[in-house]
């Protein structure tokens, strides 16, 4: 049963993932895939299935966040290597 | 014997809206600076500073009374303040300058920050100012040190670890230096600048960004603070570094000698 509580948190997850997708590699259609994956599950009624789909969404959110952190950290580490000040 | 009242800590974190780390920097056609029509975001070292302030509060709980963030910049800089508020700061101060104004210099920024610290004294003393060690778009790395000089406060720069002993009003800071690390002990109030390895900044989630919209941002102008941000330095020219010329391979020693002679390198007369 798609309860009101479920609806709210699924929408929140969608908004969060959508915002994350803005910084993703443009050649990978993040927003398109996001929309299709959510629409595919729009008619779910079984509570367990809904929970599974929601957890997959949460997992993708965490993976994307980890990707961004790593990308930024690696970039900065290359720009500012350890034990060398910015002056030559 | 009555215990002395422990004063709660107030932390100030200046942040800068700088060119985003992923942007490929290009020199503008006039060779006076870089192309600024690109994506901007909070200076990564400032993100680390905000994160450290929030973590200090998480560790020390009620000992930290307030975390205020401040930025100097055009209207768009307010976004940077909102991000910092979404990460956990309580309130912001936006020193607004016109869009067309030249970017403030470190000395100007330090003077403005000093004025803000003096201004905050009327409500509550600032105990710790945490700044990024440098901005990634100009790599000046001077503001923290200049501010410490102007305020006559101790400074612990390139911090890779910060521990605050609020009972004794002392900061123990581990600093990254060439060849390793050193630990310094500074009395509060103190200036700390952050190194890359201090912490990993948190992601500002959408719910937190929404909550941040309700947090107060005070708008000020440089004249309100009695500060003149007119640059005293003139940039004569900005150019890209010379393009790397590829090396060439030689077949044998004779060819190597020929090439060296062509380059103007003569054999040493023995």
């Amino acid at each position: 049963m798609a309860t009101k509580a479920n609806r709210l948190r699924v929408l929140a997850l969608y908004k969060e993932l959508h915002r994350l997708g803005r910084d993703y590699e443009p050649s990978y259609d993040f927003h398109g895939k996001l929309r299709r994956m959510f629409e595919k599950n729009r008619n779910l009624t079984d509570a367990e299935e809904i929970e599974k789909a929601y957890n997959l969404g949460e997992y993708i959110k965490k993976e994307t966040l980890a990707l961004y952190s790593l990308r930024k950290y690696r970039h900065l580490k290359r720009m500012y290597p350890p034990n060398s000040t910015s002056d030559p | 014997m009555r215990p002395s009242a422990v004063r709660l800590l107030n932390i100030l974190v200046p942040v800068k809206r700088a060119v985003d780390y992923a942007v490929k920097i290009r020199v503008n056609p006039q060779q006076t600076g870089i192309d600024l029509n690109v994506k901007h975001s909070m200076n990564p070292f400032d993100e680390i500073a905000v994160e450290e302030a929030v973590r200090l509060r998480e560790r020390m709980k009620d000992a930290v009374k307030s975390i205020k963030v401040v930025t100097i910049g055009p209207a768009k800089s307010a976004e940077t303040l909102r991000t910092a508020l979404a990460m956990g700061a309580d309130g912001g101060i936006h020193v607004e300058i016109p869009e067309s104004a030249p970017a403030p210099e470190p000395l100007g920024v330090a003077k403005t920050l000093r004025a803000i610290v003096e201004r905050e004294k009327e409500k509550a003393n600032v105990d710790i100012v945490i700044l990024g060690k440098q901005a990634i778009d100009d790599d000046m790395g001077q503001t923290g040190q200049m501010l410490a000089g102007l305020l006559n406060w101790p400074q612990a720069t390139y911090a890779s670890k910060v521990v605050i002993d609020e009972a004794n009003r002392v900061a123990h800071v581990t600093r990254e230096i060439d060849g390793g690390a050193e630990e310094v002990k500074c009395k509060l109030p103190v200036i700390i600048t952050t190194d890359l390895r201090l912490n990993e900044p948190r992601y500002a989630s959408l719910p937190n960004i929404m909550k941040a919209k309700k947090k107060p941002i005070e708008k000020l102008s440089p004249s309100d603070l009695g500060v003149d941000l007119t640059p005293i330095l003139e940039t004569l020219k900005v150019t890209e570094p010379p393009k790397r010329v590829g090396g060439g391979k030689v077949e044998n020693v004779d060819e190597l000698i020929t090439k060296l002679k062509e380059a103007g390198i003569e054999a040493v007369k023995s």
Side-chain angles (χ1 to χ4, degrees):
Chain A
M1 180 80 88
T3 62
K4 186 165 184 201
N6 265 339
R7 197 184 127 79
L8 285 175
R9 62 179 189 143
V10 167
L11 279 173
L13 179 65
Y14 183 85
K15 282 187 211 159
E16 190 91 63
L17 278 167
H18 189 95
R19 201 178 134 254
L20 278 177
R22 277 197 248 153
D23 296 321
Y24 213 86
E25 168 66 44
S27 59
Y28 179 90
D29 181 23
F30 192 97
H31 288 159
K33 291 200 166 65
L34 172 68
R35 200 188 171 99
R36 282 190 286 277
M37 284 184 81
F38 269 72
E39 279 184 349
K40 195 175 63 162
N41 291 331
R42 72 197 301 174
N43 293 319
L44 288 181
T45 47
D46 178 32
E48 214 180 282
E49 277 182 31
I50 293 176
E51 196 62 35
K52 221 170 111 186
Y54 181 81
N55 287 336
L56 177 62
E58 281 278 313
Y59 172 75
I60 290 176
K61 180 177 92 171
K62 289 192 198 127
E63 288 286 302
T64 312
L65 271 170
L67 265 173
Y68 288 164
S69 304
L70 269 173
R71 176 179 65 177
K72 185 168 196 169
Y73 181 77
R74 271 198 219 117
H75 191 110
L76 289 173
K77 192 163 178 205
R78 257 180 267 137
M79 281 208 297
Y80 301 100
N83 289 330
S84 80
T85 58
S86 50
D87 305 319
Chain B
M1 188 172 79
R2 237 174 352 138
S4 55
V6 176
R7 206 163 59 68
L8 302 173
L9 298 174
N10 295 302
I11 306 179
L12 182 70
V13 185
V15 295
K16 179 181 178 183
R17 177 177 174 267
V19 174
D20 187 74
Y21 77 93
V23 167
K24 277 214 162 17
I25 306 268
R26 292 263 173 271
V27 177
N28 64 23
Q30 301 86 6
Q31 290 196 326
T32 51
I34 57 174
D35 180 14
L36 291 172
N37 210 2
V38 293
K39 180 168 184 220
H40 281 66
S41 54
M42 194 192 304
N43 181 27
F45 294 105
D46 298 347
E47 283 179 346
I48 293 174
V50 175
E51 175 68 24
E52 192 60 24
V54 176
R55 283 197 195 186
L56 277 172
R57 170 183 266 160
E58 284 170 356
R59 269 180 267 147
M60 297 165 66
K61 307 270 186 319
D62 295 327
V64 174
K65 177 150 184 256
S66 78
I67 301 175
K68 270 219 176 124
V69 284
V70 55
T71 197
I72 303 167
K76 284 181 272 190
S77 295
E79 276 167 38
T80 314
L81 281 183
R82 289 282 172 217
T83 309
L85 292 171
M87 284 171 74
D90 305 317
I93 302 172
H94 183 183
V95 181
E96 197 166 341
I97 58 176
E99 180 81 38
S100 53
E105 293 170 344
L107 186 56
V109 173
K111 286 180 178 169
T112 311
L113 291 177
R114 172 181 57 176
I116 294 197
V117 168
E118 304 280 303
R119 195 163 177 275
E120 288 293 299
K121 251 194 222 164
E122 290 159 31
K123 296 172 244 165
N125 285 329
V126 174
D127 302 290
I128 308 169
V129 183
I130 312 182
L131 305 93
K133 70 172 181 178
Q134 62 202 75
I136 57 170
D137 52 5
D138 56 31
D139 281 327
M140 295 273 195
Q142 301 164 15
T143 308
Q145 292 88 333
M146 284 177 167
L147 181 60
L150 289 172
L151 287 171
N152 206 23
W153 287 9
Q155 56 180 297
T157 53
Y158 310 113
S160 62
K161 184 169 168 197
V162 174
V163 176
I164 308 283
D165 177 0
E166 75 273 21
N168 294 313
R169 290 193 58 79
V170 176
H172 294 267
V173 180
T174 310
R175 304 181 56 226
E176 291 223 355
I177 56 174
D178 287 345
E182 75 172 7
E183 194 180 318
V184 294
K185 189 166 94 172
C186 308
K187 279 197 251 184
L188 298 187
V190 66
I191 306 281
I192 299 175
T193 73
T194 69
D195 194 74
L196 196 57
R197 284 147 279 277
L198 177 58
N199 62 45
E200 175 80 29
R202 67 195 57 198
Y203 161 72
S205 68
L206 210 47
N208 283 338
I209 292 184
M210 289 298 143
K211 272 186 243 163
K213 291 199 176 159
K214 299 200 189 90
K215 294 184 184 175
I217 292 184
E218 195 186 348
K219 277 219 198 296
L220 294 171
S221 72
S223 49
D224 291 336
L225 297 165
V227 180
D228 179 12
L229 287 174
T230 316
I232 57 176
L233 299 171
E234 184 194 339
T235 302
L236 297 175
K237 190 160 135 182
V238 178
T239 54
E240 284 183 18
K243 292 262 184 301
R244 275 180 46 172
V245 182
K249 276 195 174 154
V250 291
E251 291 295 309
N252 50 47
V253 177
D254 290 325
E255 208 185 320
L256 173 64
I257 295 181
T258 317
K259 284 250 180 315
L260 285 173
K261 284 210 177 122
E262 277 173 24
I265 299 168
E266 288 287 330
V268 172
K269 299 264 185 294
S270 49

